[in-house]
Amino acid sequence: MRVTFIRFPDHQRAHVRIERDDGVVYRLDSGPASAETPHDLVHYTVEDALGLSDGIWGAIAGGVVFRSMRHESGRRPPHAGERSKDMIREHRELLQRAELIGGLCERAAHAPDGELPRFHAREPFMPITVEQLRTAAAALHRAQGAWSELAVGGELHLEWPAWRKLRAAATPARTGRPERSRSRPGRSS
């Protein structure tokens, strides 16, 4: 999946262009632009650095379409909307966890050297090692550097690995319509 972060002038509405491997292109609205690393780039960077396939970007690669996304081009797979809603419902805790992990790693990146942010009761539902936190914080420093070097109108092109995507749980095969009786009501054979 190709992801393009565009450097808009500060205080303008920004968006991210997403070209999924199935040929569908979306625009992800990401709020007002600023010199700070965009929120969606923070998530991309953290999830990529930690190898997460069950976060925000793995969900998008797997077919989830969030409310902030608008279809731009390409043929969407049949029942894509229903499938997306099912995946969001099925993986809600993982997606919430990804939000918390992203926020925690962002705080670690902004913390004074060597200090780690305090965890709160609602922090990620999975253990994150100190080493993972440092790895993600270092990746965020590199992303901030790349972002700050972009001129207005510049683009940061990234590739999300095809194998790293959220998958829907297996569902039982559809059995089709129930067989109808060949005899008509009120008639005997």
Side-chain angles (χ1 to χ4, degrees), residues 1 27 44 49 54 58 63 67-68 73 76 78 90 92 98 107 110 129 137 139 142 153 166 168 172 175:
M1 177 172 74
R27 172 183 160 149
Y44 185 100
D54 57 7
R67 278 185 242 141
S68 57
S73 65
R76 291 177 278 196
E90 178 183 341
R92 185 171 313 281
R107 289 196 320 268
H110 293 301
T129 66
R142 289 189 300 275
L166 189 62
T175 56

Side-chain angles (χ1 to χ4, degrees), residues 79-150:
H79 311 289
E82 295 167 20
R83 184 171 169 258
S84 173
K85 287 177 186 174
D86 289 345
M87 286 179 71
I88 290 171
R89 187 173 28 260
E90 178 183 341
H91 299 292
R92 185 171 313 281
E93 285 186 5
L94 294 172
L95 297 171
Q96 289 172 343
R97 183 191 77 190
E99 283 289 340
L100 294 171
I101 289 172
L104 178 66
C105 293
E106 186 174 26
R107 289 196 320 268
H110 293 301
D113 236 5
E115 276 188 41
L116 294 176
R118 290 180 167 243
F119 285 74
H120 299 286
R122 57 181 213 123
E123 292 296 356
F125 325 138
M126 68 170 260
I128 294 179
T129 66
V130 170
E131 189 57 37
Q132 287 175 312
L133 202 53
R134 288 192 174 123
T135 296
L140 284 171
H141 287 289
R142 289 189 300 275
Q144 176 61 49
W147 184 253
S148 65
E149 289 176 8
L150 277 181

Side-chain angles (χ1 to χ4, degrees), residues 7-15 30-34 152:
R7 179 65 172 100
F8 287 90
D10 288 353
H11 313 296
Q12 286 192 7
R13 296 291 299 175
H15 67 267
S30 56
S34 75
V152 170

